[in-house]
Amino acid sequence: MECCWPENLPSKPKRAIDQLIEGHQLATQLRSLLSNSLGDDESTLPPAKDLLLKILNSFQNSLMILNSDDPDHELMSPIPTKTHGTKSESSEGSCRSISTLKDRRGCYKRRKNTQTWTKDTATLMDDGHAWRKYGQKVILNAKFPRHYYRCTHKFDQGCQATKHVQRIQEEPQKHRTTYIGQHSCRTFLKAPELILHEDPSDPTTTDSSILLSFDNTISNKQDSHFLISSFQSIKQERKEEKPAIRSDDIITHTHNQSSSSDYLLSPDRTPDLDPFGHMPVLSESDNGDVISGVIVPPVDFDDDVFSFNF
DNA sequence: CCTATTTGACCTAT
DNA sequence: ATAGGTCAAATAGG
């Protein structure tokens, strides 16, 4: 459940904070070093100083995030281990101190402000992350049920990413996947394979398109990395409701908040590590190209059409 | 035995 | 009050 985290988790944010504090201190030292050797004249070394200030800002922001009052973070503290097969006893402690099994239900908080983005796809695809299905729901006025997935590493690494997949009513051969939250887990992706599944009997493999749309704020580059990673590592999905990408897919990427595009387009926001130490799948320098500020994997998309709308 | 999926119950947001 | 999201017991599969 949302409120229950593995025992070892609280130490991780703490260590991350320690590292950030150390980084912050080192950056501060560097700043004074620069000031001493070059003076405080802004004109002497604007790029370096600017960079340094940004680094400091980044450290501060990361620390703020980790120390924030975000309920999701608050819940991370005194929580019992949830281990498999020990449901009854492991469930004792919860976000509600006096609790029975039933009381603990619904302890989750809906994350209204977490970023989400959707992807329409007609074929089976793997987005490079391990997902575990945790629910299925019939949606009002929808012909097809919605399938809910969470990151497999929710409990072992505290990864909060979830997604749900639903067939598109108007185009039943396609599926819409909505990603919620970003991965904080470390997962090793498979080597890029583009087309891994093409069922000749499946008409959907002949027509396919992918629509990516950002409904909410993309707050950092990890999102774009994660997004892009979707196209990098592909494996055959186990279930038919899990669609796969194809080389002839059309990819559209939209979102409606200008701040998001600011993030994506800003050259300042190009750290290769996110606050969680998640290693990005790609970086512009290695093998990615940048199209409209979004990194595109070095993938041979044949006749693909990318459309990025900001 | 362990892990993943199914599915009805439960909870929160609207 | 209702719809959508999540939990967790039961079940399935390797």
Side-chain angles (χ1 to χ4, degrees), chain A residues 59-75:
Chain A
F59 277 123
Q60 271 169 349
N61 288 339
S62 304
L63 285 165
M64 266 170 55
I65 290 165
L66 284 167
N67 286 315
S68 71
D69 290 327
D70 180 345
D72 281 349
H73 284 110
E74 282 183 346
L75 290 170

Side-chain angles (χ1 to χ4, degrees), chain A residues 8-18 66 76 156-158:
Chain A
N8 62 340
L9 198 67
S11 70
K12 287 186 177 178
K14 188 187 178 308
R15 275 187 289 152
I17 289 171
D18 288 344
L66 284 167
M76 288 168 71
D156 58 1
Q157 296 182 38

Side-chain angles (χ1 to χ4, degrees), chain A residues 111 117 119 125-135 147-154 159-165 177-185 187 189 226-227 229-230 233 235 237-239 242-243:
Chain A
R111 287 160 290 174
W117 58 96
K119 176 162 54 187
M125 78 170 292
D126 179 13
D127 51 30
H129 289 276
W131 298 99
R132 177 162 171 180
K133 186 172 179 177
Y134 66 85
H147 306 265
Y148 295 89
Y149 300 86
R150 61 157 172 85
C151 180
T152 301
H153 305 293
K154 175 172 181 172
C159 182
Q160 288 294 287
T162 63
K163 72 173 181 181
H164 56 246
V165 181
T177 304
T178 302
Y179 294 91
I180 302 119
Q182 50 186 286
H183 284 270
S184 59
C185 60
T187 50
L189 300 177
F226 169 55
L227 169 67
S229 76
S230 302
S233 163
K235 73 182 177 201
E237 296 280 350
R238 289 183 290 271
K239 294 286 181 180
K242 294 186 180 179

